Structure formats: structure tokens, C-alpha cells
Amino acid sequence: MISSIELAKLCGVSQGTVDRALHNRPGISETTRRKILDLAKRHGYLPNPAVREIMDRSSNIVGAIIPALNNIFFMDMMSLLKDSLEAHGKMLFLTPVHGKADFLTALEEFAARKMHAAIVVPPEENLPLPSHLTQSLPVLSLLSRCSERSVPCLTADEIQTGKTAVQYLADLGHQKILHLTYRRKAKGIEDRTAGYKSQMNKLHLKPIVSIYSSENDFLKTLDRHHPTAIFCHNDWLAITILRHLQTHNIQIPQDISILGVDHTPTFQTLCPDLSSMEYPLASFTHTITDWTLTKKLTSPPEPLTVIPGKTVRALS
Amino acid sequence: MISSIELAKLCGVSQGTVDRALHNRPGISETTRRKILDLAKRHGYLPNPAVREIMDRSSNIVGAIIPALNNIFFMDMMSLLKDSLEAHGKMLFLTPVHGKADFLTALEEFAARKMHAAIVVPPEENLPLPSHLTQSLPVLSLLSRCSERSVPCLTADEIQTGKTAVQYLADLGHQKILHLTYRRKAKGIEDRTAGYKSQMNKLHLKPIVSIYSSENDFLKTLDRHHPTAIFCHNDWLAITILRHLQTHNIQIPQDISILGVDHTPTFQTLCPDLSSMEYPLASFTHTITDWTLTKKLTSPPEPLTVIPGKTVRALS
DNA sequence: TTGTATGCGTTATCAT
DNA sequence: ATGATAACGCATACAA
């Protein structure tokens, strides 16, 4: 990759003149301009972004940190986010991380590179971040909160998500609704469960919350509670559960109804007929993009809506 | 984020002295060294990588380009690759892309940033790359080939994969083995199908290859051929198929056996009991890491091995 | 119309 | 033991 100085030498002009040609600035003859642009194209000249980053003390890269595992949802979101950011001249670079140490290392690297902002999925709830990091690098957290007040946490209204799910199933006649969720503590997870409980109580139904750990445990839970519907924390879990039920010859939705959450492109392909709740990815990524540009969380993401499929039935 | 010059001012020394302290170089008194290191830590000083990139004309970043959709397998691989590269002081940055134009834009950006290397999943087979790109940026392609001879394409021995799958199913008594695959042209995909056909012919069985497009088409194919086993191109497809069969009350594996390919962490979690073939991710990422360091493909990846699950049965 | 000089942050090589 | 300086590539202000 040629530099602007080498390009200047090739053209027999000064590097200042090359710059005038490349940036369409006045004060240059049409002849030299054409010659320079021609040679630039032929050699595939591209300015070195590192130089801009030094001079501006800031890069046009937005860094994202997502979990190395369980990333289907985040990858679907990041793919959209990338397009949205690109429309504003920002690049999105992703890093998958395995835990707290990995996470903090990546964040330090982002800060050292003076990235424009960081969009992160913290590996645990209430993670403290070194203050020198948050002072120089704007950080937006998804799903889980960081302990710094200066780091906003963006989630959909997950309490509402839980309520909507319950109401949808209850409207179809379900009363024994099991909520299957994860052990991991995270605002986005806990809120959804809280919304479930709240709405169940409001309808005078008994909340049954179960942490998914293994097929065996799940089957025991089924035996104990005999739910007519299962509200899974997300589509990932719903797909796993569907397979468990298939193995044990339990009919869906005749014997039991399954409702997931996410309905992102990947899950739609994996299981097109899954009844689910659609995560408002477009409005979500729009909010994130706005934040990276203004550092302010303007429009809150829209609520999730139920996408009826074939895994939930009405009780007669 | 403080700079080394600001740090020097804070310490009341020259920036050269700061450098000696930061790099543990001789020619500095213990007292000043401690003071500098102390203040550096307090302010969270980190050298700006952009400067190194300018001076070295090369960065320690390895860029990866993966499809925005259908990325489960690649994300599982990239997560491992990241760890492997990190052990050699290289960072891995991912970019999801949507098609050819997006792909080439990302590659240009990588070249402009003088990245150490690019690991890419081309959006189509035999994609031509601008020569100025491949001259300055070492590119390794996965799954699909690029048209440049200077761009190596790494895949497992997928012909062998297809053969192994057929032999495994045939040994269990299956004769009507349907191969379900994708329309997309890619060396990794076509080789697997070629291996399937080859082994079927060798065993004097009739190859039945079907491109998956929709549930309806799939059901028609089933009706037409009545296979006893389906060899799916990958676990993603296998999971989709499992759900189709569940919907139509076809018992697995009593009525039909399903074999997938990949068995990476995500697919293992999604469907733990799926019979599959394990992609040798560790040896694969090792080979990639070697290549980024030496620009030579040394050890070829190991062959895939069958992981028996509960979705394939022996015909009595 | 064109050439030259300065600064960005870091490192390495000088000189003091 | 410490300070000064050149170099990297690019943008910009200024000189010719």
C-alpha cells in the first residue's frame, strides 16, 4: 500500500499537491490533478486511518464486545448496527470475549485506540470499570449494567416483555404458565422475569419460575408442575426445549405450548414456526447509533410484540 | 487518556525519560522510574497503537470478515481463533458483511489500516480481489475460494467428510440416504457433496441430493424418495429439519435418521443430542494462527469425526 | 499553481 | 542519568 509521499514522488510533485488532488481542493491545474488521481487509483492508494487517529486523538471506529458464547442474538443485532453506523461514517469492529478479564482487556485496547465509542455486553451484572477507561471512552452497555453511573445500560422494557408474554398466553386460556430462564444475573433477564411474575400475580395465577440447567432437571420440572405453556427467556432456550420435548414424544402445541423471545433473523431461519416475541432490532440499533453520535439515549426502544407461530395453541 | 508527553510534563521530566521508565530500559534512577510508573498507572496510561502502526507500517490486528447471516459456525470458530491469536500478541477484530460490495469495502479498510492479515469468508465462490489489496494485505479465505492464486483457501477435507458420513450411515444399514445441502456455491459445500456422491456410488447406492429451500419443498422430497436417513450439510440445517419433522409427527430416529455436521459449542447447546460430525475447530484455528504468523499453510486440518447422538439409529 | 513547514504520539538514537 | 531529535503518513496553514 503506497503512501501519499511515495505517490508524490511518483508524480514528480510535492506531497501538498497530492493532497490537493486527493481532496478536490482548489489551487491545482486540471492536468496534474488528473495525473495524480490516475496514479492514485492505479496503485490503490488509501489514506492511513492511523494518522487521522493520532491527529484527531480519536478514531471513527466503534468497538463492540460480545460474549464468545451465546452470541446469536447479539450477532444479529450487531449486523444491523454495523449498517446503521456505516451510514454515519463509523466502522464497527467486534470482539468476542470469554469472561471478565478478557472483557476488561478488550475495553482497555479500545480506549488505547481512542475508539469513538464502545458497545458492550458485560460478562456479569454490576461490573465495575476502571475510571480512567470510562473517562476517555464512551461506553454503552447492553443487557447488563456496569456499576458506573456514566455508563448507560440499554435494554428494551423487559418488564413489559414479561407482562405481554403472560397476557398473551393467558388470553389463550393458559393458567399454568412456566417461566424458563437462566441463572445468569442481568438486568435484561431479571426484568423479564419480574414482568412475568407481576402479570401472573395480577391475573391471580401462580408464578412458576425455573432456571434451565439440563434436560433432566427440565423434565422433573415438567413432572412437578404440568404447565400448559412455557414462556422461555429466549428463542435459543425455546429451540433447546422443543428438541427435548420431541425426544420424549410430547406434542407441540397439543400437549404443551412454547413461547420464545427474540425472533431475530437467525432464529427465524432455525425455527420459522416458533411462536415468539419480536425484539425491535431496528429501533434498538437506531437508538444505539444515536447514542454513539450524541452520547445521549434519546428514543427508548419499542416494546416487544408477539409473533404467533405454531408452537402455542389456544386452550379450548 | 493521557499521552506520554503529558505524562512527562506531569512528572517534570522529558518524554525520553518517560519512555525509559515505561520500557524498563537502563539509564534512569530508581526514584524517577517509580514516580513515572506510579503516575502512569494512576492515569491509566496506555501507548497509542496508532503510532506504532504508522512507524511499523503494520498493525498487530488480524481482521476477520464473516457473513452477517449464517454466522454461528464462524463465530464459534472466531472465538477460538481470537484466543489463539492473542497468545501470539495479535488482536482479532470481526466485521459482519452482507454481500460482495460490503465485503470488498471491509477488505479495503483492512488494507488501509495495514492489518497484519485478513481471515475472510468470501460471499461467493471465485471472487476476484483487486490486486493492490492482495499485494499489501495477506488474505486467507475460508470455505470459498478467491480467484487469486496468492489467496489460499482453507477448508477441512470436505470430500472425506462426505465419505465418512455416508459410510457411517451405511454401516448402520441405511441405503436410502438423502443429502440435504445449500444452493450456494462454495468449495467447502461442493466438496462435501462430491464426497457424498462418491461414497454412495462406491457402495452402489443411489445418491439423492436435494437443495433445501423451504419446508414444503423438503416434504415433497421426502415423499418422493422416502429416505431412511438424511445427511444434512450442517447442524443448522439439521436443526431446521428436526423441527419440520416434529411438526409433521415424523419420529426421530424411528422413522428417519438425521445426521448433521459441525458440532460446535453453539450447536451442542442448541441441540445436545444431535448426531453430528465434529469440525476440528482446535486444529483448524491452530492452522489459521500458524498461517497468520508464517503466511504458510503448514498442517492440514484433521478430518471430521462422527459424534453419535440420538438422531441416528441402526436399521435392524 | 505549487512547494514547504508544522504537528500528532511514540520509539530509538543521538548528544549532554 | 537525562534531554533533545528524527522518523512514521497525513492534513493544513503558509510561503513562494
Side-chain angles (χ1 to χ4, degrees):
Chain A
M1 177 72 58
I2 200 174
S3 78
S4 68
I5 298 181
E6 293 169 307
L7 186 55
K9 277 179 194 154
L10 278 177
C11 299
V13 297
S14 76
Q15 180 262 1
T17 301
V18 163
D19 190 67
R20 272 179 278 263
L22 293 173
H23 295 81
N24 266 331
R25 293 207 321 238
I28 182 175
S29 79
E30 193 56 23
T31 331
T32 37
R33 209 179 63 101
R34 289 171 98 83
K35 181 161 93 180
I36 293 170
L37 288 180
D38 180 53
L39 275 176
K41 172 156 284 180
R42 213 184 341 267
H43 288 267
Y45 169 81
L46 288 174
N48 188 339
V51 178
R52 285 302 286 268
E53 288 168 10
I54 295 179
M55 308 230 297
D56 298 353
R57 294 183 192 75
S58 131
S59 110
N60 68 339
I61 294 179
V62 175
I65 305 180
I66 62 175
L69 301 175
N70 284 38
N71 52 33
I72 293 181
F73 169 77
F74 296 110
M75 278 304 291
D76 281 340
M77 197 181 74
M78 291 300 163
S79 294
L80 275 190
L81 180 60
K82 186 231 173 193
D83 302 336
S84 173
L85 287 173
E86 221 157 50
H88 294 274
K90 307 263 171 260
M91 291 225 71
L92 181 66
F93 281 164
L94 304 179
T95 307
V97 299
H98 277 100
K100 188 157 61 165
D102 220 7
F103 178 90
L104 290 173
T105 305
L107 209 53
E108 295 247 295
E109 179 74 19
F110 286 9
R113 292 188 172 276
K114 282 139 189 60
M115 285 196 180
H116 185 258
I119 317 291
V120 307
V121 182
E124 55 187 60
E125 183 73 2
N126 263 318
L127 184 71
L129 304 181
S131 62
H132 62 261
L133 277 189
T134 52
Q135 278 163 23
S136 59
L137 174 70
V139 178
L140 174 66
S141 79
L142 307 180
L143 198 59
S144 288
R145 280 170 295 210
C146 297
S147 62
E148 280 64 40
R149 309 202 89 240
S150 61
V151 177
C153 173
L154 181 63
T155 65
D157 182 346
E158 296 295 3
I159 294 183
Q160 185 56 51
T161 306
K163 290 181 180 176
T164 305
V166 168
Q167 193 60 52
Y168 171 69
L169 294 169
D171 283 348
L172 291 174
H174 292 278
Q175 303 204 326
K176 298 172 87 168
I177 305 171
L178 169 67
H179 178 45
L180 209 55
T181 184
Y182 294 107
R183 165 156 293 116
R184 188 190 151 196
K185 290 190 83 175
K187 176 177 160 52
I189 296 178
E190 292 173 343
D191 280 2
R192 209 173 276 177
T193 302
Y196 158 84
K197 284 182 181 168
S198 154
Q199 193 68 11
M200 288 295 277
N201 287 326
K202 188 169 173 187
L203 298 178
H204 305 293
L205 302 175
K206 185 172 161 231
I208 320 168
V209 176
S210 172
I211 305 286
Y212 178 81
S213 60
S214 71
E215 179 171 5
N216 272 342
D217 271 13
F218 168 67
L219 292 172
K220 281 184 202 156
T221 306
L222 278 195
D223 267 357
R224 181 153 56 237
H225 299 288
H226 291 286
T228 62
I230 305 180
F231 167 42
C232 301
H233 175 74
N234 57 20
D235 288 347
W236 182 307
L237 193 47
I239 289 173
T240 306
I241 294 309
L242 278 178
R243 173 65 195 145
H244 291 342
L245 297 172
Q246 182 178 30
T247 311
H248 293 82
N249 259 311
I250 299 172
Q251 305 288 308
I252 310 293
Q254 292 80 3
D255 298 336
I256 201 163
S257 291
I258 302 291
L259 177 65
V261 177
D262 277 348
H263 201 68
T264 61
T266 297
F267 291 113
Q268 286 180 49
T269 328
L270 272 171
C271 190
D273 63 353
L274 175 65
S275 298
S276 185
M277 298 181 65
E278 184 169 41
Y279 213 95
L281 278 192
S283 105
F284 209 77
T285 53
H286 185 263
T287 303
I288 297 178
T289 303
D290 273 359
W291 177 84
T292 63
L293 300 177
T294 66
K295 304 303 181 304
K296 274 170 193 140
L297 284 177
T298 50
S299 53
E302 298 162 14
L304 280 72
T305 53
V306 172
I307 307 288
K310 294 179 181 165
T311 59
V312 169
R313 76 171 179 115
L315 288 189
S316 48
Chain B
M1 176 72 57
I2 200 174
S3 78
S4 68
I5 298 181
E6 295 169 306
L7 187 54
K9 278 180 194 155
L10 279 178
C11 300
V13 297
S14 79
Q15 176 265 3
T17 302
V18 164
D19 191 65
R20 271 179 278 263
L22 293 174
H23 295 80
N24 266 332
R25 290 204 325 235
I28 183 175
S29 77
E30 192 57 21
T31 331
T32 39
R33 211 178 64 100
R34 289 171 98 85
K35 181 162 92 178
I36 293 170
L37 288 180
D38 180 53
L39 274 176
K41 173 156 283 181
R42 216 190 332 273
H43 288 269
Y45 168 81
L46 288 174
N48 188 341
V51 179
R52 283 302 285 270
E53 286 168 12
I54 294 180
M55 309 229 298
D56 298 353
R57 293 182 193 74
S58 132
S59 109
N60 67 339
I61 294 179
V62 175
I65 305 181
I66 62 175
L69 302 175
N70 284 39
N71 52 33
I72 293 181
F73 169 78
F74 296 110
M75 278 305 290
D76 281 339
M77 197 181 73
M78 290 300 162
S79 294
L80 275 190
L81 180 61
K82 186 231 172 194
D83 301 337
S84 173
L85 286 174
E86 221 158 48
H88 295 272
K90 307 264 171 260
M91 292 225 72
L92 181 66
F93 280 164
L94 304 179
T95 308
V97 300
H98 277 100
K100 186 155 64 163
D102 221 6
F103 178 90
L104 290 173
T105 306
L107 210 52
E108 295 246 294
E109 179 75 18
F110 287 8
R113 292 187 172 276
K114 282 136 190 62
M115 286 195 181
H116 185 258
I119 317 291
V120 308
V121 183
E124 55 187 61
E125 183 73 1
N126 263 318
L127 184 72
L129 304 180
S131 63
H132 62 262
L133 277 190
T134 52
Q135 278 162 24
S136 60
L137 175 70
V139 178
L140 174 66
S141 79
L142 307 181
L143 199 59
S144 288
R145 280 170 297 212
C146 296
S147 62
E148 280 63 40
R149 308 202 90 242
S150 60
V151 177
C153 174
L154 181 62
T155 65
D157 182 346
E158 297 295 3
I159 294 182
Q160 185 56 52
T161 306
K163 290 181 179 175
T164 305
V166 168
Q167 193 60 53
Y168 171 68
L169 294 169
D171 284 347
L172 291 174
H174 292 278
Q175 304 204 326
K176 300 173 85 169
I177 304 172
L178 169 67
H179 178 46
L180 208 56
T181 184
Y182 293 107
R183 164 155 294 115
R184 189 190 150 194
K185 291 189 82 175
K187 176 176 160 50
I189 296 178
E190 291 172 344
D191 281 2
R192 208 173 277 176
T193 301
Y196 159 84
K197 284 182 180 166
S198 156
Q199 193 69 10
M200 289 294 279
N201 286 326
K202 188 170 174 187
L203 299 178
H204 305 293
L205 302 175
K206 184 174 162 229
I208 320 167
V209 176
S210 173
I211 306 284
Y212 177 80
S213 61
S214 70
E215 178 171 6
N216 272 341
D217 272 12
F218 168 67
L219 292 172
K220 281 183 202 155
T221 306
L222 277 195
D223 267 356
R224 180 154 55 239
H225 299 288
H226 292 287
T228 62
I230 304 180
F231 167 41
C232 302
H233 174 75
N234 56 20
D235 289 347
W236 182 306
L237 193 47
I239 289 174
T240 306
I241 294 310
L242 278 178
R243 173 67 194 143
H244 291 342
L245 297 172
Q246 181 178 31
T247 311
H248 293 82
N249 259 312
I250 299 172
Q251 305 288 310
I252 311 293
Q254 291 80 2
D255 298 336
I256 201 163
S257 291
I258 302 291
L259 177 65
V261 177
D262 277 349
H263 201 68
T264 61
T266 296
F267 291 114
Q268 286 181 49
T269 327
L270 271 170
C271 191
D273 63 354
L274 175 64
S275 299
S276 186
M277 299 182 65
E278 185 169 40
Y279 214 93
L281 279 192
S283 105
F284 209 77
T285 51
H286 186 262
T287 302
I288 297 178
T289 302
D290 274 359
W291 176 85
T292 63
L293 301 176
T294 66
K295 304 306 181 307
K296 269 166 198 145
L297 284 177
T298 50
S299 52
E302 298 161 13
L304 281 73
T305 53
V306 172
I307 307 289
K310 294 180 181 164
T311 61
V312 169
R313 77 170 178 115
L315 289 189
S316 50

